[in-house]
Amino acid sequence: MQKILLMLFVAAMMTGMFSTSCTQKRNEFRIADGHFLLNGEPVQFFSGEVHPSRIPREYWRQRLQMVRAMGMNAISIYMFWNVHEPYPGEYNFEGNADIAEFIRIAQEEDLWVMLRPSPYVCAEWEFGGYPWWLLKESDLKVRSKDPRFINAYRDYVMEVGKQLTPLLIENGGPIIMVQIENEYGFYGSDKEYLAMNRDIFIEAGFTCDLFTCDPPYTIDAGHLPGIYAAVNGGAKPAEVIATQDRINGGGPYFVSEWYPAWFDVWGKRHHTSPVENFTAHLDSIFHYGISLNMYMAHGGSNFGFMNGANYDTYMPYQSQTQSYDYDAPINEAGNPTAKFFAYRELVKKYAPEGYHIPEVPQPLKSISVKSFQLDEIALIEQQRPAVIKSERPLSFEDINQGYGYVLYETELPKGEGWLKVRELRDYGIVLLDGKRIGVLDRRTELDSIYLKVPNNGTRLSLFIENLGRINFGSFLTDNRKGITETVFFAGREVTGWDIFGYPFKSIDGYTFSESAKAHSDWPVLRRGTFHLDKVEDTYFDMRDFGKGSLWVNGHHVGRYWQVGPQQTLYIPAPWLREGENEVVVFEMLKMWQSEISGLDHPILDELNEELFTGPTAVQQIEY
């Protein structure tokens, strides 16, 4: 075994003996003879994952320059189907969705591109990248041979091909490899389905090398014979080599996802990992000449409503935070951390002679913003959209809404007993005649309140939030939002619903007034302005607020929640301007809070455990 590993080490070290400049005239990439070959020469990839949808377009070049200065010669990119086809047949490849421009900038910054447009990405992103409208047909199965899914999938990939096949390496671009499925072994083992994926990408014009990726323990289920299979996770070098020898018949050896830390979820502690662990494992990988893609090199942010969620037995539903900092080498604001410099030194140690690593760009500065008032109010209970009437509750998808909030209202008769919402998705406040009496929370399996309703009955209002669709595992097919089954009171089904959708695609349609008085219990929109003499990044401090969303100059920054661990929201400088800036806050729990300020640093590790309501909590209300 030692002799085999020594031989592999010598062969793999040869892969790093050649310059890999993306801006040189290169026109061929192949996986052959146990190597990644650029114009016939072996190369070792020092790659990092970055997602353009998690970075403001104005910062794309700066982030890619940071990746290159870290010592990397390649990037890996997920594409999110729900970004590029928000509605059936309506394709978006403009602005922050201009993926082709991001790839062109990567080439200008001397980076090769491993493209991962597989419609399923996981990535802690809403529905794993799938568009919500697939769920309008409740029996449609994603990641399957269901013709309805395959047809929608094919149409999307054909559009991706139109955008990106001109940027394949053979056409003068930087794209060297394309992934056809993502960790499929966690989900299934249908080789016919995988072959359909392969054929769709070939039909779309992706004539480059194709690949899949899985950790060693699911790779047998997830790989397609004849397609290169990369390895995910923190496996030791010997396991990486043995796995790819068995599956691929030899090298090249490639860890396509290696994690410098982990993502965060609401209500659980912030994830970090010591730089010593980081360097020790990478050193062992690079020592054997194994190529590696770091997930994430720079995480960025889950702007808007695009965070995903996980599901496990310890916390059945886990909504991910707005920040996707990931304790990565390049932090959420695009600045270097200790891991950045540790990685840079490792590349210097293992890269071939003459390998160029640019100087590190100057860090981006951040500023504090003085406290200011959100003194204009929009009362959403008085500015309702058109009502939808239904005997039984309808899901978000049933009313053609993907994200945001839905208000359900009905009349409750006299009685006493439990109000139970079956299959609540995901969080809500409960009001009786406009008075808030409690909350519902899928994370903690809190779906019931005990009520005593008087003789004349009462108006029940359930204001429900989609906290992000599950992005991983078998629950991908069970991802509808809102009240997805039935509501019971005192053992009887509640019917006769008025339903109002609040997708909050923007907040332009709401009327604000300084004279309006916020009802103490209804969610409210608050608006205010602040002045800047100079524009730099900042972080709005949300610790005095309860739960909701924030917009700055019309940009939907994302969610905040007092439970933590994230307590600030990153505001990139390109979204700000000299002079007056507008902030709008949608608040669900602390409607009286009217003062806000900005810090020059993030708070990502402050968990308010006393606010965490566990699954055994009881809400009993006499009304």
Side-chain angles (χ1 to χ4, degrees):
M1 180 64 176
Q2 288 181 339
K3 182 178 179 180
I4 293 173
L5 288 177
L6 179 61
M7 292 173 63
L8 289 168
F9 169 68
V10 172
M13 286 300 290
M14 292 178 65
T15 69
M17 295 177 64
F18 301 91
S19 171
T20 61
S21 174
C22 184
T23 55
Q24 296 177 6
K25 184 173 177 56
R26 303 276 182 175
N27 55 22
E28 183 184 68
F29 174 82
R30 290 186 301 132
I31 300 174
D33 303 325
H35 299 298
F36 292 129
L37 298 174
L38 276 172
N39 288 335
E41 303 291 351
V43 62
Q44 181 180 9
F45 287 113
F46 304 99
S47 178
E49 188 88 15
V50 287
H51 301 150
S53 295
R54 284 177 158 136
I55 306 166
R57 180 180 176 131
E58 297 87 344
Y59 273 154
W60 281 353
R61 188 175 298 275
Q62 185 271 345
R63 300 303 198 258
L64 291 170
Q65 288 174 341
M66 290 296 296
V67 169
R68 186 68 186 91
M70 191 171 154
M72 292 178 167
N73 57 9
I75 57 170
S76 173
I77 307 172
Y78 273 143
M79 291 181 65
F80 303 132
W81 184 359
N82 51 21
V83 167
H84 297 292
E85 193 181 1
Y87 296 95
E90 296 182 15
Y91 298 104
N92 176 24
F93 293 99
E94 298 178 352
N96 228 84
D98 189 353
I99 186 76
E101 178 62 14
F102 185 84
I103 291 171
R104 284 190 288 266
I105 295 172
Q107 183 172 25
E108 291 168 5
E109 297 302 330
D110 205 13
L111 291 161
W112 298 104
V113 174
M114 302 177 190
L115 184 66
R116 306 213 282 167
S118 169
Y120 172 70
V121 297
C122 186
E124 293 71 61
W125 192 260
E126 226 277 343
F127 198 10
Y130 288 132
W132 66 270
W133 44 264
L134 290 172
L135 296 166
K136 286 175 62 65
E137 298 186 65
S138 60
D139 62 339
L140 183 148
K141 299 297 183 185
V142 298
R143 290 187 109 179
S144 80
K145 293 178 290 191
D146 184 327
R148 296 166 296 176
F149 169 69
I150 292 296
N151 289 337
Y153 173 177
R154 176 182 287 105
D155 289 346
Y156 166 66
V157 174
M158 294 305 124
E159 292 298 320
V160 172
K162 293 175 186 177
Q163 295 289 321
L164 299 185
T165 53
L167 293 170
L168 297 178
I169 187 172
E170 64 205 59
N171 297 325
I175 300 173
I176 56 174
M177 299 170 62
V178 172
Q179 181 177 285
I180 64 167
E181 242 286 8
N182 185 62
E183 294 189 328
Y184 177 66
F186 278 117
Y187 186 84
S189 59
D190 187 340
K191 305 303 182 185
E192 290 183 0
Y193 162 73
L194 287 173
M196 294 173 80
N197 281 249
R198 175 200 60 204
D199 294 345
I200 287 171
F201 277 96
I202 293 172
E203 181 185 351
F206 289 101
T207 53
C208 57
D209 279 285
L210 305 176
F211 72 104
T212 60
C213 68
D214 288 278
Y217 51 92
T218 66
I219 200 166
D220 289 276
H223 92 287
L224 178 66
I227 296 293
Y228 178 77
V231 174
N232 283 2
K236 294 180 179 179
E239 186 178 9
V240 173
I241 292 168
T243 299
Q244 295 198 284
D245 278 348
R246 181 172 59 82
I247 296 294
N248 295 327
Y253 303 108
F254 178 37
V255 179
S256 47
E257 288 187 18
W258 182 83
Y259 313 106
W262 206 240
F263 58 88
D264 287 340
V265 301
W266 295 112
K268 295 182 75 173
R269 295 191 182 280
H270 176 53
H271 286 96
T272 61
S273 68
V275 68
E276 296 81 10
N277 295 356
F278 174 92
T279 52
H281 189 88
L282 288 175
D283 191 78
S284 70
I285 290 286
F286 293 155
H287 177 76
Y288 285 94
I290 297 171
S291 292
L292 179 138
N293 177 59
M294 183 182 298
Y295 188 102
M296 301 290 297
H298 167 62
S301 307
N302 295 317
F303 294 121
F305 292 129
M306 299 315 291
N307 65 281
N310 273 2
Y311 198 101
D312 68 28
T313 55
Y314 300 103
M315 183 188 288
Y317 174 80
Q318 302 178 35
S319 173
Q320 285 125 19
T321 59
Q322 186 271 348
S323 172
Y324 201 60
D325 178 84
Y326 219 93
D327 195 30
I330 303 168
N331 68 16
E332 185 176 14
N335 289 325
T337 68
K339 290 178 179 176
F340 176 100
F341 294 105
Y343 184 93
R344 183 178 160 94
E345 291 305 309
L346 280 173
V347 174
K348 289 180 181 179
K349 178 179 177 181
Y350 288 107
E353 184 177 351
Y355 185 96
H356 174 63
I357 302 178
E359 293 298 315
V360 181
Q362 288 296 310
L364 297 172
K365 296 180 180 179
S366 58
I367 56 173
S368 299
V369 174
K370 292 182 180 179
S371 295
F372 61 96
Q373 293 295 312
L374 302 168
D375 48 15
E376 294 182 289
I377 295 172
L379 302 172
I380 67 166
E381 76 272 23
Q382 295 179 9
Q383 300 184 46
R384 300 188 179 199
V387 64
I388 300 168
K389 291 186 174 289
S390 176
E391 271 302 287
R392 306 187 74 188
L394 300 175
S395 72
F396 278 51
E397 296 77 13
D398 290 333
I399 66 169
N400 204 36
Q401 180 174 325
Y403 314 109
Y405 309 83
V406 171
L407 171 63
Y408 300 83
E409 290 192 330
T410 191
E411 299 294 328
L412 283 185
K414 173 189 175 182
E416 177 178 349
W418 286 98
L419 177 76
K420 182 178 179 64
V421 182
R422 289 185 57 184
E423 293 302 324
L424 168 74
R425 309 287 178 85
D426 301 296
Y427 180 91
I429 59 172
V430 184
L431 302 101
L432 293 181
D433 288 338
K435 177 182 177 182
R436 191 176 77 206
I437 62 168
V439 300
L440 304 171
D441 191 346
R442 183 184 182 189
R443 296 174 312 134
T444 59
E445 300 179 304
L446 186 60
D447 63 359
S448 304
I449 299 179
Y450 195 85
L451 301 178
K452 294 181 181 180
V453 178
N455 289 338
N456 57 345
T458 187
R459 184 72 170 171
L460 170 69
S461 303
L462 301 173
F463 195 87
I464 307 300
E465 178 181 11
N466 166 9
L467 271 174
R469 291 180 179 84
I470 291 170
N471 55 255
F472 180 79
S474 60
F475 289 95
L476 281 171
T477 59
D478 184 15
N479 245 332
R480 287 158 71 85
K481 290 297 179 179
I483 299 176
T484 60
E485 291 193 11
T486 50
V487 179
F488 291 92
F489 175 55
R492 294 183 178 179
E493 182 177 354
V494 180
T495 58
W497 293 91
D498 293 340
I499 302 170
F500 307 86
Y502 293 86
F504 284 149
K505 296 176 186 176
S506 76
I507 35 78
D508 292 340
Y510 291 90
T511 301
F512 290 81
S513 171
E514 289 188 16
S515 61
K517 301 295 182 183
H519 188 296
S520 61
D521 290 332
W522 271 97
V524 67
L525 285 162
R526 285 186 173 271
R527 184 170 69 183
T529 61
F530 65 99
H531 184 90
L532 287 179
D533 293 324
K534 62 177 180 178
V535 173
E536 290 175 343
D537 292 348
T538 192
Y539 302 83
F540 274 110
D541 185 354
M542 308 308 295
R543 286 175 291 181
D544 291 334
F545 290 79
K547 190 178 194 309
S549 273
L550 180 140
W551 289 259
V552 173
N553 294 329
H555 295 277
H556 188 185
V557 178
R559 308 177 206 269
Y560 62 87
W561 196 352
Q562 61 188 344
V563 297
Q566 180 181 356
Q567 300 291 347
T568 54
L569 288 173
Y570 166 63
I571 315 298
W575 292 2
L576 300 171
R577 53 188 177 235
E578 292 183 2
E580 292 301 305
N581 292 265
E582 179 188 83
V583 171
V584 175
V585 171
F586 173 69
E587 173 61 46
M588 297 180 68
L589 299 177
K590 297 182 179 180
M591 281 64 73
W592 62 87
Q593 180 58 36
S594 61
E595 187 174 348
I596 191 170
S597 62
L599 304 175
D600 63 2
H601 62 277
I603 301 173
L604 300 177
D605 58 355
E606 189 174 298
L607 187 65
N608 291 319
E609 294 180 278
E610 71 277 8
L611 297 173
F612 187 90
T613 307
T616 59
V618 173
Q619 298 178 98
Q620 185 162 332
I621 304 296
E622 182 171 347
Y623 179 72

